[in-house]
Amino acid sequence: MVFSSYVFIFAFLPLVLLGYYLLPRFISSPPRLRVAQNLLLIAASLVFYGYYSVYYLFIIIASILVNYVLALGMQRFVSRPVLSKACFILGIAFNVLLIGYFKYYDFFVENINFVFGSSFTLKHLLLPLGISFFTFQQLSFLVSVYKGEEKVENFVSYCIFVLFFPQLVAGPIVLYSEMVPQFNDQSRSRFNGDNMAAGVYMFCIGLFKKAVIADTLALFVDNGFAQGSLGLAAAWAASLSYTLQIYFDFSGYSDMAIGLGRMFNIDIPYNFLSPYKSDSFSELWRRWHITLGRALSTYIYIPLGGNRKGRVRTFVNTFLTFFVSGLWHGAAWTFVLWGSIHGLFVALEKSFPRLLSKPPRWLRIACTFILVNALWVLFRAESFSQAAIVYRGMLSFGSLQLSQIASLVLDNSFDFPTSVDIAYLSSLLAVLLCVIFRCKNSREKLESFSCTGKSLAFTVFLFCFSVLHLSRESIFIYFNF
Amino acid sequence: MKKNLTSSQWLRRFLALALAVLALLALAVYIIDPYYNYRAYDHKYKLDKIFSVPGVVKNYDYDAIVIGSSMTQNFDMDAFREELGQDTVKATLGGITSTEISALFKLAQEAGHARTYYICIDNSTLSSGSTEQRFPDYLMDFSLLNDYKYFWGYEAWMRFIPLDMALLAADSLGIELPERFDEARSIDLMGDWAYRTQFGAEQVLDTYAQSDSGAAINVDMVSISQDALDNCEEFVESMDLSRGEIVFFFPPYSSLLWYSNLENGELELSLALKQRFIELVAGYDNVKVFDFQGAEFTADLDNYMDMTHFSPEINDFMVSCFASGEYLANTGTLAETERQIRDNIDILLSRYPEIEEIKK
């Protein structure tokens, strides 16, 4: 199920909230009430996850069962390190094989076929929604249990940690220690008006970002990347549109997740903090998909040695971490190259910190944004040749081809004059660029939220205007990862 | 700003206001009705085929309906009125699929306006078995339950209502708009593309030269044929042919298309499909089939825009045939039509000898 859909907003969410907050009327014992509420959330999350395909449910349930049993095994055999380690290795192997099979099988076979001229058949497997997220989350849990940092509690707690629908399919990637205590906290059982209002406010901001902004930009992006050749104007319009689309899409999803969490009195960590205001790639990755950065740092960068083994190893470790990040995002060389170049920039920044801090901050922000924008082309392109078309256009300074912008706006409903299309697209991009560079981010807005008439009118506007965009229902970009 | 509401007041007001705004928006769509979902008038709103055709089928006043692809979009509704005495409406969509034809036919039957149904059968439609359905589901029925997608629909609110309001405002202020805006609001002209199109042999040959249709295809025609025949049977079974007067017709593509089919080995399949279709509908007394594909004029490329699309004069001719019964087909006429198609190919090649050079 998608947050920005009629069925989620008008049926699923109201019913789950109603059930959740009606339970205290029927169960007086606080511990039992909390378990019942968690069971309700687990059931709702399974419906949410299996809405499009029951097939997905078998995979996620199998993944949860195997990981839970192995985590329990590690804890049981804590005094017998060999057995504990065996459980740990099995767990890692299981998760890597699971994601490897569903996400990377075809990629692997394609490369084998390419290198050796073989013709092994591709499976074209249907990628289970959010498999990268829930697998990563469970892997991190296994590592924590193995290190003795976490204790395995009951099965219900583990299920709600993995399945909680607001962050199930596209994060934020949460830690067991930051979520499960909240699910077991009896003081969070009752309806809290302040949390509910803040949650609704945050949800509506995210909904607007996704349904109105990101999905409008998607048209320009899809049209732009489908062109056989692009002039300067259209290429920059298409790449900027994607840079904005992916931000509003993913941060919109994260805002909705945080808002939904609040409605259930659960605090979900922030995932975005105005990333495009960053003046370096290092800062960008502290502001963009924050929980992924945290997980990669904890489970890859630091175990590799982090920055403790000299400048060269720091460079290599940083690069490797981003290489894995690229591969995590998608089973294609375009993603790997995208991640590697990000890694290269971050590693260079770490190697020459003084040199890069000399230019004024506004210039560093502008340069970072332009480079990030150029790299998103690789991320969006279905192939290197498609990326090359956009890059060629972005560098074709002698061929502005302003009128080609009309082809980006085309949606088959009506042919407006080219001048109208150009004015529409360029003014929209200009406004959105102002928003990302000048406006408060969602965290700042949530922290300054109060129940006033102004916030009420703003939220009603965001909600109703977003509802008018739901008929072009689309999935979130990060559902594919 | 200072906090001036309690959270419960804020939440209650949010719910009340949001519901009130959504109710007002729904009411506005019901009244404006940009897709004619509840009532259909002429010369009112900008028409988009995908969104307007279902409403027109359900609510317009007509007694005959033309369902089909771009082959039918240039039919002159006045010709139907004058030649056949039928108030006719077009329900067309470029590249219409068999699923869409069945759905429109069913919708028209449920609407109950039509006594006669003219249904264009493209040979490719029969064979493809495409299940694509581009008309929005909430417009393709008479139920109110799914109309929330219409009341709060992106297409209604972000696309057509602003445009409709601008057009109405322009009308009321006496602003003269370009002709294409008027054409875009005429139900008779819905989908018509002839007014912006050039016809002529030169451009037909150009499009043929640029197409890859002459390339020999290297596929298993036996299995394709079986799939196509299955699709054809499924298509016929999907329609209730027992009610109304139903006129199927095979449109007169240019002989260049038949030549191309002959060259790449698809001609036999096309003809076999047509034969199967005619056999399947032959048992219905209320069903007629017209087959224009052997017509002599198909060898004259000046009548065409490309290999398949013909000029509106040919549409007029087809209407006159519906009235006169010329080109009526049955299982017994197929052999003669095939002979005419092959003769026309010979005429075409003698008239345009460069055709055989183009694909060499």
Side-chain angles (χ1 to χ4, degrees), chain B residues 98-122:
Chain B
S98 51
T99 307
E100 288 162 345
I101 291 176
S102 295
L104 281 179
F105 179 61
K106 187 173 173 228
L107 191 68
Q109 283 186 321
E110 285 175 15
H113 300 289
R115 290 199 302 274
T116 309
Y117 304 83
Y118 296 94
I119 303 174
C120 175
I121 302 297
D122 283 287

PDB file of all heavy atoms in Angstrom, chain B residues 98-122:
ATOM      1  N   SER B  98      -8.773  -4.256 -28.370  1.00  0.00           N
ATOM      2  CA  SER B  98      -9.999  -5.063 -28.372  1.00  0.00           C
ATOM      3  C   SER B  98     -10.694  -4.960 -27.010  1.00  0.00           C
ATOM      4  O   SER B  98     -11.919  -4.946 -26.925  1.00  0.00           O
ATOM      5  CB  SER B  98      -9.674  -6.516 -28.704  1.00  0.00           C
ATOM      6  OG  SER B  98      -8.644  -7.000 -27.888  1.00  0.00           O
ATOM      7  N   THR B  99      -9.910  -4.845 -25.933  1.00  0.00           N
ATOM      8  CA  THR B  99     -10.497  -4.704 -24.600  1.00  0.00           C
ATOM      9  C   THR B  99     -11.287  -3.397 -24.503  1.00  0.00           C
ATOM     10  O   THR B  99     -12.383  -3.360 -23.937  1.00  0.00           O
ATOM     11  CB  THR B  99      -9.373  -4.707 -23.537  1.00  0.00           C
ATOM     12  OG1 THR B  99      -8.577  -5.864 -23.745  1.00  0.00           O
ATOM     13  CG2 THR B  99      -9.933  -4.698 -22.138  1.00  0.00           C
ATOM     14  N   GLU B 100     -10.723  -2.346 -25.074  1.00  0.00           N
ATOM     15  CA  GLU B 100     -11.412  -1.047 -25.022  1.00  0.00           C
ATOM     16  C   GLU B 100     -12.671  -1.058 -25.882  1.00  0.00           C
ATOM     17  O   GLU B 100     -13.698  -0.476 -25.497  1.00  0.00           O
ATOM     18  CB  GLU B 100     -10.446   0.055 -25.471  1.00  0.00           C
ATOM     19  CG  GLU B 100      -9.371   0.339 -24.432  1.00  0.00           C
ATOM     20  CD  GLU B 100      -8.149   1.082 -24.977  1.00  0.00           C
ATOM     21  OE1 GLU B 100      -7.977   1.150 -26.220  1.00  0.00           O
ATOM     22  OE2 GLU B 100      -7.357   1.572 -24.158  1.00  0.00           O
ATOM     23  N   ILE B 101     -12.606  -1.716 -27.027  1.00  0.00           N
ATOM     24  CA  ILE B 101     -13.808  -1.808 -27.881  1.00  0.00           C
ATOM     25  C   ILE B 101     -14.914  -2.543 -27.125  1.00  0.00           C
ATOM     26  O   ILE B 101     -16.063  -2.078 -27.055  1.00  0.00           O
ATOM     27  CB  ILE B 101     -13.484  -2.538 -29.206  1.00  0.00           C
ATOM     28  CG1 ILE B 101     -12.580  -1.671 -30.083  1.00  0.00           C
ATOM     29  CG2 ILE B 101     -14.765  -2.883 -29.962  1.00  0.00           C
ATOM     30  CD1 ILE B 101     -12.133  -2.346 -31.379  1.00  0.00           C
ATOM     31  N   SER B 102     -14.566  -3.686 -26.525  1.00  0.00           N
ATOM     32  CA  SER B 102     -15.568  -4.457 -25.781  1.00  0.00           C
ATOM     33  C   SER B 102     -16.175  -3.625 -24.656  1.00  0.00           C
ATOM     34  O   SER B 102     -17.386  -3.636 -24.428  1.00  0.00           O
ATOM     35  CB  SER B 102     -14.933  -5.688 -25.133  1.00  0.00           C
ATOM     36  OG  SER B 102     -14.492  -6.545 -26.097  1.00  0.00           O
ATOM     37  N   ALA B 103     -15.289  -2.892 -23.947  1.00  0.00           N
ATOM     38  CA  ALA B 103     -15.768  -2.110 -22.802  1.00  0.00           C
ATOM     39  C   ALA B 103     -16.702  -0.996 -23.255  1.00  0.00           C
ATOM     40  O   ALA B 103     -17.747  -0.750 -22.628  1.00  0.00           O
ATOM     41  CB  ALA B 103     -14.574  -1.542 -22.042  1.00  0.00           C
ATOM     42  N   LEU B 104     -16.350  -0.320 -24.358  1.00  0.00           N
ATOM     43  CA  LEU B 104     -17.212   0.771 -24.847  1.00  0.00           C
ATOM     44  C   LEU B 104     -18.537   0.220 -25.366  1.00  0.00           C
ATOM     45  O   LEU B 104     -19.608   0.811 -25.146  1.00  0.00           O
ATOM     46  CB  LEU B 104     -16.507   1.536 -25.975  1.00  0.00           C
ATOM     47  CG  LEU B 104     -15.438   2.543 -25.563  1.00  0.00           C
ATOM     48  CD1 LEU B 104     -14.841   3.194 -26.797  1.00  0.00           C
ATOM     49  CD2 LEU B 104     -16.004   3.616 -24.638  1.00  0.00           C
ATOM     50  N   PHE B 105     -18.468  -0.910 -26.041  1.00  0.00           N
ATOM     51  CA  PHE B 105     -19.680  -1.537 -26.565  1.00  0.00           C
ATOM     52  C   PHE B 105     -20.619  -1.907 -25.412  1.00  0.00           C
ATOM     53  O   PHE B 105     -21.830  -1.631 -25.452  1.00  0.00           O
ATOM     54  CB  PHE B 105     -19.282  -2.773 -27.374  1.00  0.00           C
ATOM     55  CG  PHE B 105     -20.440  -3.530 -27.963  1.00  0.00           C
ATOM     56  CD1 PHE B 105     -21.300  -2.936 -28.869  1.00  0.00           C
ATOM     57  CD2 PHE B 105     -20.676  -4.853 -27.612  1.00  0.00           C
ATOM     58  CE1 PHE B 105     -22.372  -3.636 -29.419  1.00  0.00           C
ATOM     59  CE2 PHE B 105     -21.746  -5.561 -28.153  1.00  0.00           C
ATOM     60  CZ  PHE B 105     -22.589  -4.955 -29.053  1.00  0.00           C
ATOM     61  N   LYS B 106     -20.032  -2.483 -24.372  1.00  0.00           N
ATOM     62  CA  LYS B 106     -20.835  -2.877 -23.202  1.00  0.00           C
ATOM     63  C   LYS B 106     -21.444  -1.638 -22.529  1.00  0.00           C
ATOM     64  O   LYS B 106     -22.621  -1.629 -22.155  1.00  0.00           O
ATOM     65  CB  LYS B 106     -19.926  -3.615 -22.218  1.00  0.00           C
ATOM     66  CG  LYS B 106     -20.652  -4.223 -21.046  1.00  0.00           C
ATOM     67  CD  LYS B 106     -19.706  -5.083 -20.225  1.00  0.00           C
ATOM     68  CE  LYS B 106     -20.423  -5.532 -18.964  1.00  0.00           C
ATOM     69  NZ  LYS B 106     -19.679  -5.351 -17.766  1.00  0.00           N
ATOM     70  N   LEU B 107     -20.640  -0.593 -22.423  1.00  0.00           N
ATOM     71  CA  LEU B 107     -21.126   0.639 -21.791  1.00  0.00           C
ATOM     72  C   LEU B 107     -22.284   1.233 -22.597  1.00  0.00           C
ATOM     73  O   LEU B 107     -23.298   1.667 -22.039  1.00  0.00           O
ATOM     74  CB  LEU B 107     -19.975   1.642 -21.696  1.00  0.00           C
ATOM     75  CG  LEU B 107     -20.214   2.884 -20.843  1.00  0.00           C
ATOM     76  CD1 LEU B 107     -20.329   2.518 -19.369  1.00  0.00           C
ATOM     77  CD2 LEU B 107     -19.094   3.900 -21.032  1.00  0.00           C
ATOM     78  N   ALA B 108     -22.114   1.223 -23.928  1.00  0.00           N
ATOM     79  CA  ALA B 108     -23.176   1.761 -24.791  1.00  0.00           C
ATOM     80  C   ALA B 108     -24.440   0.924 -24.679  1.00  0.00           C
ATOM     81  O   ALA B 108     -25.558   1.461 -24.648  1.00  0.00           O
ATOM     82  CB  ALA B 108     -22.681   1.793 -26.239  1.00  0.00           C
ATOM     83  N   GLN B 109     -24.278  -0.383 -24.584  1.00  0.00           N
ATOM     84  CA  GLN B 109     -25.466  -1.243 -24.420  1.00  0.00           C
ATOM     85  C   GLN B 109     -26.168  -0.945 -23.105  1.00  0.00           C
ATOM     86  O   GLN B 109     -27.395  -0.858 -23.039  1.00  0.00           O
ATOM     87  CB  GLN B 109     -25.058  -2.715 -24.482  1.00  0.00           C
ATOM     88  CG  GLN B 109     -24.797  -3.205 -25.897  1.00  0.00           C
ATOM     89  CD  GLN B 109     -24.533  -4.698 -25.960  1.00  0.00           C
ATOM     90  OE1 GLN B 109     -23.868  -5.240 -25.092  1.00  0.00           O
ATOM     91  NE2 GLN B 109     -25.039  -5.352 -26.988  1.00  0.00           N
ATOM     92  N   GLU B 110     -25.374  -0.770 -22.044  1.00  0.00           N
ATOM     93  CA  GLU B 110     -25.974  -0.471 -20.740  1.00  0.00           C
ATOM     94  C   GLU B 110     -26.650   0.889 -20.752  1.00  0.00           C
ATOM     95  O   GLU B 110     -27.678   1.089 -20.110  1.00  0.00           O
ATOM     96  CB  GLU B 110     -24.902  -0.515 -19.643  1.00  0.00           C
ATOM     97  CG  GLU B 110     -24.478  -1.932 -19.286  1.00  0.00           C
ATOM     98  CD  GLU B 110     -23.332  -1.959 -18.297  1.00  0.00           C
ATOM     99  OE1 GLU B 110     -23.036  -0.937 -17.671  1.00  0.00           O
ATOM    100  OE2 GLU B 110     -22.702  -3.030 -18.182  1.00  0.00           O
ATOM    101  N   ALA B 111     -26.041   1.856 -21.485  1.00  0.00           N
ATOM    102  CA  ALA B 111     -26.645   3.200 -21.553  1.00  0.00           C
ATOM    103  C   ALA B 111     -27.985   3.147 -22.272  1.00  0.00           C
ATOM    104  O   ALA B 111     -28.906   3.915 -21.960  1.00  0.00           O
ATOM    105  CB  ALA B 111     -25.685   4.143 -22.272  1.00  0.00           C
ATOM    106  N   GLY B 112     -28.097   2.261 -23.242  1.00  0.00           N
ATOM    107  CA  GLY B 112     -29.388   2.016 -23.885  1.00  0.00           C
ATOM    108  C   GLY B 112     -29.835   3.062 -24.883  1.00  0.00           C
ATOM    109  O   GLY B 112     -31.000   3.092 -25.272  1.00  0.00           O
ATOM    110  N   HIS B 113     -28.935   3.958 -25.329  1.00  0.00           N
ATOM    111  CA  HIS B 113     -29.350   4.978 -26.302  1.00  0.00           C
ATOM    112  C   HIS B 113     -29.359   4.435 -27.728  1.00  0.00           C
ATOM    113  O   HIS B 113     -30.216   4.803 -28.529  1.00  0.00           O
ATOM    114  CB  HIS B 113     -28.383   6.171 -26.271  1.00  0.00           C
ATOM    115  CG  HIS B 113     -28.295   6.857 -24.954  1.00  0.00           C
ATOM    116  ND1 HIS B 113     -29.316   7.621 -24.435  1.00  0.00           N
ATOM    117  CD2 HIS B 113     -27.296   6.903 -24.024  1.00  0.00           C
ATOM    118  CE1 HIS B 113     -28.954   8.108 -23.263  1.00  0.00           C
ATOM    119  NE2 HIS B 113     -27.732   7.682 -22.979  1.00  0.00           N
ATOM    120  N   ALA B 114     -28.378   3.593 -28.026  1.00  0.00           N
ATOM    121  CA  ALA B 114     -28.145   3.229 -29.434  1.00  0.00           C
ATOM    122  C   ALA B 114     -29.051   2.096 -29.902  1.00  0.00           C
ATOM    123  O   ALA B 114     -29.294   1.135 -29.176  1.00  0.00           O
ATOM    124  CB  ALA B 114     -26.683   2.827 -29.621  1.00  0.00           C
ATOM    125  N   ARG B 115     -29.508   2.249 -31.158  1.00  0.00           N
ATOM    126  CA  ARG B 115     -30.166   1.114 -31.821  1.00  0.00           C
ATOM    127  C   ARG B 115     -29.174   0.443 -32.768  1.00  0.00           C
ATOM    128  O   ARG B 115     -29.256  -0.735 -33.025  1.00  0.00           O
ATOM    129  CB  ARG B 115     -31.386   1.603 -32.603  1.00  0.00           C
ATOM    130  CG  ARG B 115     -32.543   2.071 -31.722  1.00  0.00           C
ATOM    131  CD  ARG B 115     -33.849   2.096 -32.509  1.00  0.00           C
ATOM    132  NE  ARG B 115     -33.759   2.955 -33.672  1.00  0.00           N
ATOM    133  CZ  ARG B 115     -33.984   4.272 -33.660  1.00  0.00           C
ATOM    134  NH1 ARG B 115     -34.312   4.886 -32.523  1.00  0.00           N
ATOM    135  NH2 ARG B 115     -33.879   4.999 -34.762  1.00  0.00           N
ATOM    136  N   THR B 116     -28.210   1.262 -33.259  1.00  0.00           N
ATOM    137  CA  THR B 116     -27.218   0.712 -34.195  1.00  0.00           C
ATOM    138  C   THR B 116     -25.804   0.979 -33.683  1.00  0.00           C
ATOM    139  O   THR B 116     -25.515   2.082 -33.211  1.00  0.00           O
ATOM    140  CB  THR B 116     -27.375   1.364 -35.587  1.00  0.00           C
ATOM    141  OG1 THR B 116     -28.748   1.280 -35.968  1.00  0.00           O
ATOM    142  CG2 THR B 116     -26.501   0.673 -36.614  1.00  0.00           C
ATOM    143  N   TYR B 117     -24.971  -0.033 -33.787  1.00  0.00           N
ATOM    144  CA  TYR B 117     -23.575   0.081 -33.350  1.00  0.00           C
ATOM    145  C   TYR B 117     -22.682  -0.152 -34.553  1.00  0.00           C
ATOM    146  O   TYR B 117     -22.740  -1.219 -35.163  1.00  0.00           O
ATOM    147  CB  TYR B 117     -23.248  -0.975 -32.286  1.00  0.00           C
ATOM    148  CG  TYR B 117     -24.153  -0.929 -31.067  1.00  0.00           C
ATOM    149  CD1 TYR B 117     -25.406  -1.570 -31.083  1.00  0.00           C
ATOM    150  CD2 TYR B 117     -23.760  -0.261 -29.916  1.00  0.00           C
ATOM    151  CE1 TYR B 117     -26.233  -1.525 -29.977  1.00  0.00           C
ATOM    152  CE2 TYR B 117     -24.597  -0.214 -28.797  1.00  0.00           C
ATOM    153  CZ  TYR B 117     -25.832  -0.848 -28.841  1.00  0.00           C
ATOM    154  OH  TYR B 117     -26.658  -0.803 -27.752  1.00  0.00           O
ATOM    155  N   TYR B 118     -21.873   0.832 -34.915  1.00  0.00           N
ATOM    156  CA  TYR B 118     -20.891   0.666 -35.984  1.00  0.00           C
ATOM    157  C   TYR B 118     -19.536   0.431 -35.322  1.00  0.00           C
ATOM    158  O   TYR B 118     -19.034   1.312 -34.609  1.00  0.00           O
ATOM    159  CB  TYR B 118     -20.832   1.916 -36.864  1.00  0.00           C
ATOM    160  CG  TYR B 118     -22.128   2.180 -37.599  1.00  0.00           C
ATOM    161  CD1 TYR B 118     -23.095   3.044 -37.069  1.00  0.00           C
ATOM    162  CD2 TYR B 118     -22.381   1.576 -38.828  1.00  0.00           C
ATOM    163  CE1 TYR B 118     -24.284   3.292 -37.729  1.00  0.00           C
ATOM    164  CE2 TYR B 118     -23.576   1.816 -39.500  1.00  0.00           C
ATOM    165  CZ  TYR B 118     -24.525   2.667 -38.949  1.00  0.00           C
ATOM    166  OH  TYR B 118     -25.704   2.895 -39.612  1.00  0.00           O
ATOM    167  N   ILE B 119     -18.980  -0.722 -35.536  1.00  0.00           N
ATOM    168  CA  ILE B 119     -17.737  -1.062 -34.838  1.00  0.00           C
ATOM    169  C   ILE B 119     -16.645  -1.380 -35.863  1.00  0.00           C
ATOM    170  O   ILE B 119     -16.769  -2.312 -36.664  1.00  0.00           O
ATOM    171  CB  ILE B 119     -17.936  -2.268 -33.898  1.00  0.00           C
ATOM    172  CG1 ILE B 119     -19.056  -1.941 -32.906  1.00  0.00           C
ATOM    173  CG2 ILE B 119     -16.639  -2.593 -33.164  1.00  0.00           C
ATOM    174  CD1 ILE B 119     -19.444  -3.104 -32.008  1.00  0.00           C
ATOM    175  N   CYS B 120     -15.594  -0.565 -35.813  1.00  0.00           N
ATOM    176  CA  CYS B 120     -14.483  -0.757 -36.737  1.00  0.00           C
ATOM    177  C   CYS B 120     -13.566  -1.864 -36.211  1.00  0.00           C
ATOM    178  O   CYS B 120     -13.184  -1.850 -35.045  1.00  0.00           O
ATOM    179  CB  CYS B 120     -13.703   0.552 -36.860  1.00  0.00           C
ATOM    180  SG  CYS B 120     -12.231   0.418 -37.862  1.00  0.00           S
ATOM    181  N   ILE B 121     -13.247  -2.798 -37.084  1.00  0.00           N
ATOM    182  CA  ILE B 121     -12.356  -3.896 -36.685  1.00  0.00           C
ATOM    183  C   ILE B 121     -11.033  -3.747 -37.419  1.00  0.00           C
ATOM    184  O   ILE B 121     -10.946  -4.019 -38.619  1.00  0.00           O
ATOM    185  CB  ILE B 121     -13.000  -5.264 -37.016  1.00  0.00           C
ATOM    186  CG1 ILE B 121     -14.347  -5.411 -36.311  1.00  0.00           C
ATOM    187  CG2 ILE B 121     -12.059  -6.406 -36.624  1.00  0.00           C
ATOM    188  CD1 ILE B 121     -14.273  -5.404 -34.799  1.00  0.00           C
ATOM    189  N   ASP B 122     -10.036  -3.301 -36.704  1.00  0.00           N
ATOM    190  CA  ASP B 122      -8.693  -3.250 -37.295  1.00  0.00           C
ATOM    191  C   ASP B 122      -8.102  -4.645 -37.218  1.00  0.00           C
ATOM    192  O   ASP B 122      -8.210  -5.313 -36.184  1.00  0.00           O
ATOM    193  CB  ASP B 122      -7.811  -2.270 -36.520  1.00  0.00           C
ATOM    194  CG  ASP B 122      -8.138  -0.842 -36.883  1.00  0.00           C
ATOM    195  OD1 ASP B 122      -7.776  -0.424 -37.979  1.00  0.00           O
ATOM    196  OD2 ASP B 122      -8.790  -0.158 -36.058  1.00  0.00           O
TER     197      ASP B 122
END
